[in-house]
Amino acid sequence: DIQMTQSPSSVSASVGDRVTITCRASQTITTYLNWYQHKPGKAPKLLIYGASSLQSGVPSRFSGSGSGTDFTLTISSLQPEDFATYYCQQSYSTPPITFGQGTRLEIK
Amino acid sequence: QVQLVQSGAEVKKPGASVKISCKASGYTFTNNYMHWVRLAPGQGLEWMGIINPGAQMTVYAQKFQGRVTLTSHPSTSTVYMELTSLRSEDTAIYYCARGWASGGLNYFDPWGQGTPVTVSS
C-alpha cells in the first residue's frame, strides 16, 4: 500500500496568514493526489484534485502543487472558515485508496 | 443539487452487524461509482471499498475483506454498506462519497453527512 505522510500534524495560524501543508507519498503517484477539508460534524469537502486543479466553488485562496512524491496545499490568506482538518488522498496504486493522517489547522 | 443522505446513528454490541444506507439524488445514480470511507476517533480517513451501482461490481480494501458488503438498489438510488463481526475498533463515522474517475485519478465529491456507529458492550 502507498503510505501518505502529512506535515505538520497540526498548525496554529492567524486570520490573514499564509499556510502550507505538505503531503509525501511513499512512492511516486504522479499527480494522482487530492485534498479535502473536514470540519467536525460536517461532510468532508473536495478542494483540489489532480494535485493542482481547483474544485468548482472552492475559493481561489486554496491552491495545490507537486508531482511524484511531494505535494503541497497552500492557503494564501486564512479566513475564519478555513480552520479545519485537511487530508491528502492518493489513487495511483489501488486498492486501497489511501489518505494522509490529516493536518489540523487551529486558530492562534 | 447533488445530495447523499445517509441513515442515522447506530449503537451495536460486539459481534453484531450494521447496515447503513446512502440515498443519492440530483444526478443519474448509475453514472458514478460510490465509495465508503470511515473516520475513527483519533484516526485519519480510511477507505473501505467501492461499488459500481449499476453493475453491482465491488472492490474492497483487504483490511475489510470478508466483513464488508456493498450493495446497490438502482430503483431507489440507494447504496448500502454492511459491516459484520463488529468490534470496538469499528467505532467510527462512516461516509459514502460519490466517485469521480479520470484515468487513474479517483476523487470523491460530494460526501454524505456521515453515520456514527458505536460498538460497545
Side-chain angles (χ1 to χ4, degrees), chain A residues 32-34 36 38 42-44 46 49-50 55 87 89 91 95-97 99, chain B residues 35 37 39 43-47 59 95 104-109 111-113:
Chain A
Y32 291 176
L33 188 284
N34 311 305
Y36 301 87
H38 189 212
K42 302 288 188 182
L46 175 68
Y49 62 94
Q55 173 66 350
Y87 293 93
Q89 170 247 317
S91 65
I97 288 172
F99 293 85
Chain B
H35 297 258
V37 177
L39 180 63
Q43 306 293 313
L45 295 167
E46 183 173 34
W47 181 80
V59 176
Y95 296 95
L105 179 67
N106 283 268
Y107 51 95
F108 313 134
D109 181 64
W111 297 54
Q113 84 276 18

Side-chain angles (χ1 to χ4, degrees), chain B residues 14-53:
Chain B
S17 300
V18 68
K19 191 170 185 177
I20 300 168
S21 66
C22 170
K23 183 173 177 60
S25 61
Y27 71 101
T28 301
F29 179 66
T30 52
N31 280 1
N32 294 79
Y33 289 16
M34 196 74 79
H35 297 258
W36 286 84
V37 177
R38 75 179 188 180
L39 180 63
Q43 306 293 313
L45 295 167
E46 183 173 34
W47 181 80
M48 300 179 69
I50 179 176
I51 183 168
N52 178 327

Side-chain angles (χ1 to χ4, degrees), chain A residues 1-4 23-36 68 71 87-100, chain B residues 47 104-108:
Chain A
D1 298 358
I2 294 179
Q3 308 302 318
M4 306 300 292
C23 178
R24 174 166 288 177
S26 60
Q27 65 186 75
T28 184
I29 59 171
T30 65
T31 56
Y32 291 176
L33 188 284
N34 311 305
W35 290 96
Y36 301 87
F71 303 86
Y87 293 93
C88 61
Q89 170 247 317
Q90 72 80 26
S91 65
Y92 180 79
S93 177
T94 64
I97 288 172
T98 51
F99 293 85
Chain B
W47 181 80
L105 179 67
N106 283 268
Y107 51 95
F108 313 134

Side-chain angles (χ1 to χ4, degrees), chain A residues 47-67:
Chain A
L47 300 175
I48 302 285
Y49 62 94
S52 61
S53 295
L54 190 68
Q55 173 66 350
S56 176
V58 174
S60 59
R61 63 181 179 273
F62 291 92
S63 64
S65 65
S67 66

Side-chain angles (χ1 to χ4, degrees), chain A residues 76-92:
Chain A
S76 60
S77 178
L78 272 175
Q79 299 302 301
E81 61 268 29
D82 298 338
F83 294 94
T85 300
Y86 293 84
Y87 293 93
C88 61
Q89 170 247 317
Q90 72 80 26
S91 65
Y92 180 79

